[in-house]
Amino acid sequence: MFPSHASPLVTAPAETSVLALLLAEGPLSRVELARRTGLSSTAVTKAARPLLDDGYLHELPPERTAPGAGRPVNPLAVTAEREFFVGVKISADALYGAVCDLRAGMRATAGRPLGEDRGPAAVGALLHELVDELLDKRTEFRDRTRHLGIAVSGDVDRTAGRVRYSVLPGWRDVPLAETAARATGLSVVVENDVKALTAAEHWFGEGIGAEYFALVTIGAGIGSGLVVNGRLIAGAYGVAGEMGHIAIDPAGPRCHCGQVGCVEAIASTGAILAAVRTGTGRQDLDFDAAVRLAREGDPVARVVFARAGRAIGTGIAILVNLLGPERVVVTGEGLETYDLFGEHIKDAYAVHCFKAAARCPLTLRPLPWEEWARGAAVLGIEALFP
């Protein structure tokens, strides 16, 4: 994180535990918080007091825990509008932005198409404009916003705030966090877009409460994010979970990363289109035309989509065998063509999962682009914690 004036909201372990649980699963009574965190009731009350005083928590009206129970309890809840967070997703051709509250509820959205210049300076200027537009939508946004999260595809060094490599905007070694912090005056976190989306799903979506969780995205790229022991992992070098670059076919096509036979080189939308063009000899096809061919029964196109599905299913099975998640969410713009390769994903997944690992369910979760911006905003919410 590149701070301008922000610091973690909580530092003590008890405060951290109480706020994290209330964010993800609140409202909860003090008794339930004590049970879930392992803290004493006194420790919970002490931890909650500064958060109540600062307006980050509030008490709900009293309620009885059960018929005939004694004194009513006052559940604690997060005050969602106490602080706001801006998130921006950088895609291949546009910026998508959102303002979210403390519970990751989207309060405003906006976007900017990228121009012909996709360089860091040009995109950075557009990003600054977009953040200003978002913060100007409501007076309280600018007054109560300290954090900006930016999500971009590829190899991102979150600690250094640098985009080491991103194929979609075509960047290498870009100090994005420093530049954005200087332009906006906000504390900035930059993260891989799939990891940001995984964090959002783990905190506020399908992954709530899961100690082991994975999210897989299919579309222009094939990516994945992993949660282990309740924490999103980056690994020693920041690239843990790069399912798209698992090499599964030594005789397969060359990937943009330099390897041969990566899942992404077989199953991304670009790879599918290239294979359909080669197989049919029709270089004029775009991806929508390739999809139409497959749905109309063209044998070449159908084989290409089937191969893509098997590659994705195999890649997910490898993740599940290694990680053992409780559930896997599959998302991304590629879900729009799930009818063409969904069965092949399931079949390959079942074949390659080891024994009981196959019990891990795959949940399909269509997400609009605004959700990727929400994922970026969640990076700011995470910055409240040490």
Side-chain angles (χ1 to χ4, degrees), residues 176-197:
L176 184 58
E178 181 180 356
T179 302
R182 191 164 53 243
T184 64
L186 300 174
S187 296
V188 179
V189 184
V190 179
E191 179 61 281
N192 168 272
D193 55 355
V194 179
K195 287 186 173 65
L197 191 60

Side-chain angles (χ1 to χ4, degrees), residues 77-204:
V78 170
T79 306
E81 65 276 11
R82 174 61 178 81
E83 187 165 348
F84 298 100
F85 305 82
V86 177
V88 175
K89 153 69 174 168
I90 301 175
S91 75
D93 53 12
L95 300 180
Y96 299 92
V99 177
C100 292
D101 60 33
L102 193 50
R103 291 295 307 276
M106 277 194 284
R107 299 298 185 100
T109 60
R112 283 282 192 288
L114 297 183
E116 291 186 11
D117 186 351
R118 308 293 172 88
V123 174
L126 280 176
L127 188 147
H128 187 193
E129 289 179 12
L130 178 61
V131 170
D132 267 347
E133 177 187 343
L134 287 165
L135 292 179
D136 285 340
K137 284 183 178 287
R138 287 169 56 178
T139 303
E140 59 267 34
F141 288 168
R142 196 171 287 279
D143 294 341
R144 300 182 201 166
T145 299
R146 299 181 296 157
H147 296 278
L148 165 64
I150 304 174
V152 61
S153 68
D155 181 358
V156 177
D157 185 339
R158 178 170 176 165
T159 301
R162 302 183 80 86
V163 179
R164 291 186 290 216
Y165 169 68
S166 180
V167 67
L168 291 181
W171 290 353
R172 287 184 182 273
D173 198 30
V174 175
L176 184 58
E178 181 180 356
T179 302
R182 191 164 53 243
T184 64
L186 300 174
S187 296
V188 179
V189 184
V190 179
E191 179 61 281
N192 168 272
D193 55 355
V194 179
K195 287 186 173 65
L197 191 60
T198 303
E201 283 297 295
H202 184 237
W203 276 92
F204 302 105

